[in-house]
Amino acid sequence: MSEQHEPVTSPDQLKPGHPRAARIGAAVSALILLSMLIGNHRGRVEDIFLIVSASLLVLALVGDWVLRRNGLR
């Protein structure tokens, strides 16, 4: 019976995927959400939801930028 050992990894190797692609995706998603404001709907509930969602994405991007700028990723 041979034991299977996990490879030794540093904590840096366990980081998720591609952070630059995630930042670009968040920016594109925010722009798409804001572009949905143009339409044939009459209610403002949809507009509020879209603006809040896009604002949260932009806030996350700004927070990420500040953390990366200060070296606190």
Side-chain angles (χ1 to χ4, degrees):
M1 222 183 214
S2 66
E3 291 184 24
Q4 299 278 337
H5 295 288
E6 292 185 26
V8 178
T9 58
S10 68
D12 289 349
Q13 291 175 328
L14 300 177
K15 288 184 181 178
H18 305 282
R20 184 167 187 236
R23 288 190 293 269
I24 292 170
V28 169
S29 296
L31 290 174
I32 289 172
L33 286 172
L34 291 175
S35 72
M36 289 182 193
L37 290 172
I38 303 167
N40 61 354
H41 55 279
R42 291 186 177 154
R44 293 294 173 215
V45 175
E46 297 91 355
D47 292 346
I48 293 170
F49 178 77
L50 291 170
I51 291 170
V52 168
S53 298
S55 300
L56 289 174
L57 282 172
V58 170
L59 184 64
L61 285 172
V62 169
D64 179 59
W65 176 75
V66 169
L67 288 176
R68 284 186 299 114
R69 184 172 174 244
N70 293 330
L72 299 175
R73 296 194 276 170

